[in-house]
Amino acid sequence: MERGFEYLVDVHGEPGARDIFERICTNLFQSMYGPTTKSVEVSRGDGGIDVLVGDLPKPQKVYQCKFFLNGLGSSQRQQIKESFKTVTTNYEITDWRLCLPCILTQQDLLWWSKWKHEQSELTGIQIELCDGSYLIHQLKSYDIYEREFDEDIRNQLKIISSELALQKQRVIDEIIYDDLDGIEDEYNDFIFVKMLESAGIFDTNEYKIDFFNAEISRQESISKDERV
């Protein structure tokens, strides 16, 4: 099942999810455009830029990241307008893109389309929307999606891996032997020992230990099958 950006809120809470959303967008655009992509430290009067491609004061592209999960109400629309006005007042830009984690409703898309065309005609700036669907598609294309959206699955796998390692160590500690105490004389007359000696191999201790451990493992397997 594909996870949306709501997953970030479930894991990190809304304030944390907002910061992570911006970081994810920055990672994506750096993967797309390379080292010319820069994030901008959030500060008072930062000019309304979250991510830029190129250099100030005339960047090639400017991205504004707004963590609006529930569409565009009057407050969200006003924030979009103010961000665009701020960046166009402070810098000479030709390409402005809004990043949202949600997918807009038909009503929101009508508002966005009308506002976008009005502003493009007034300023000559190309304006585009990068919605949640587009961003997730791009994240998958650049192999970023799983790293950001499957953290809980990776944690579960780590727990399983640790448990398996503990079980393996238990088997080693309880079953596997690495010395000959009590078994050296027991295997002296076995056929495989005689065959080794006839082949000129007289240091058979290691082979006796391997044989003993193999027998223990076989008995353990038989015992488990019988319990099942």
Side-chain angles (χ1 to χ4, degrees), residues 134-164:
Y134 169 82
L135 291 173
I136 286 177
H137 175 77
Q138 292 299 104
L139 289 170
K140 289 181 177 180
S141 298
Y142 286 89
D143 297 324
I144 300 174
Y145 179 83
E146 289 185 3
R147 185 170 72 241
E148 299 292 349
F149 288 82
D150 290 338
E151 182 177 357
D152 57 335
I153 294 176
R154 291 197 306 276
N155 289 336
Q156 290 175 10
L157 290 174
K158 287 179 182 178
I159 293 172
I160 292 171
S161 178
S162 297
E163 183 63 27
L164 289 174

Side-chain angles (χ1 to χ4, degrees), residues 169-180:
Q169 188 61 47
R170 183 193 66 80
V171 172
I172 292 174
D173 293 341
E174 296 182 3
I175 298 175
I176 305 301
Y177 294 80
D178 59 4
D179 60 62
L180 287 174

Side-chain angles (χ1 to χ4, degrees), residues 5-26 40 42 50-51 64-70 76 79 99-101 135 148:
F5 287 97
E6 298 86 354
Y7 167 78
L8 300 180
V9 178
D10 294 338
V11 175
H12 305 285
E14 187 160 345
R18 187 179 298 110
D19 294 337
I20 292 172
F21 175 66
E22 185 174 324
R23 174 177 59 76
I24 289 174
C25 290
T26 301
V40 179
V42 177
D50 290 321
V51 185
Q64 185 73 38
C65 303
K66 296 292 187 183
F67 196 68
F68 301 153
L69 280 175
N70 301 312
Q76 288 75 28
Q79 290 182 55
C99 298
L100 299 177
L135 291 173
E148 299 292 349

Side-chain angles (χ1 to χ4, degrees), residues 187-203:
Y187 292 120
N188 283 341
D189 295 327
F190 271 50
I191 293 176
F192 80 92
V193 175
K194 296 299 183 183
M195 292 177 66
L196 290 169
E197 291 174 346
S198 67
I201 302 174
F202 297 99
D203 186 6

